[in-house]
Amino acid sequence: VFSAIFLISLATLSRAFVPLVPQTLRPTVALSANPIDTLFAVLKEGKVGLVKSLAGEYDAPAIRTKIDNLVEESPVLLMSFTTCPFCIEAKGVLDSKGAKYTVVELDEEEDGKAIRAEMGGMLGRTSVPAIWIDGTFIGGCNDGPLGGVNGLQKEGRLDGMLKAAGAM
């Protein structure tokens, strides 16, 4: 009973930030048989909504175009915060390979908050680092759809991807 009340409270709290997001972009949380999965989904939805509300008003199509252009024009693109330890680690991995990459420091960009908010809508996550190699979103440092730079490194796939992208 306590866990159900806790989850309902979190869901209500997370939705406090979501009204600023257009209905078509609102993520939905599907109820799962596993309450931990449901909790993480609710927290993720709340984080995306919070980031969108912190970004304030911005031209969403223009920001999406900016992100799309950066991804298309950069063999390796890394969205980062200057003080984020995972971002620093990811840059270190790429530097150790001698890889050429483009870094967008969201905490120094005028529209960094808007970029991060749109990443939430595009990727379902707002965390950094966010890394693309040859247009494919690989995740961050240790996580994401392809396991991030460390995951790819452990699997022995990072060098091949960087070479194929022309970054090494």
Side-chain angles (χ1 to χ4, degrees), residues 79-81 84 86-87 106 116 119 125-130 140:
M79 299 288 191
S80 173
F81 285 161
C84 164
F86 294 107
C87 298
L106 297 178
R116 186 173 179 213
M119 282 179 14
R125 59 184 266 161
T126 61
S127 58
V128 291

Side-chain angles (χ1 to χ4, degrees), residues 93-164:
V93 170
L94 294 172
D95 289 341
S96 74
K97 302 282 181 191
K100 296 177 282 183
Y101 59 97
T102 301
V103 178
V104 178
E105 299 290 0
L106 297 178
D107 55 340
E108 294 181 344
E109 288 286 318
E110 183 178 340
D111 54 5
K113 289 180 182 177
I115 291 171
R116 186 173 179 213
E118 283 306 301
M119 282 179 14
M122 295 169 74
L123 305 172
R125 59 184 266 161
T126 61
S127 58
V128 291
I131 305 166
W132 288 260
I133 298 177
D134 203 19
T136 300
F137 179 66
I138 66 155
C141 188
N142 304 305
D143 64 347
L146 297 182
V149 290
N150 282 330
L152 289 170
Q153 175 68 8
K154 286 178 187 170
E155 294 174 5
R157 298 174 47 202
L158 183 59
D159 287 0
M161 288 183 76
L162 292 171
K163 287 176 184 170

Side-chain angles (χ1 to χ4, degrees), residues 10-20 26-29 42 45-46:
L10 282 175
T12 303
L13 177 62
S14 72
R15 289 178 195 345
F17 299 105
V18 176
L20 297 176
R26 278 193 196 166
T28 59
V29 175
V42 167
E45 179 180 314

Side-chain angles (χ1 to χ4, degrees), residues 23-39:
Q23 183 66 35
T24 57
L25 296 179
R26 278 193 196 166
T28 59
V29 175
L31 293 179
S32 168
N34 182 340
I36 298 299
D37 290 343
T38 302
L39 173 62

Side-chain angles (χ1 to χ4, degrees), residues 56-80:
E57 294 206 15
Y58 61 90
D59 184 348
I63 295 296
R64 283 200 180 223
T65 298
K66 180 176 184 172
I67 295 169
D68 290 341
N69 289 341
L70 284 166
V71 169
E72 185 179 320
E73 295 166 1
S74 307
V76 178
L77 174 65
L78 192 151
M79 299 288 191
S80 173

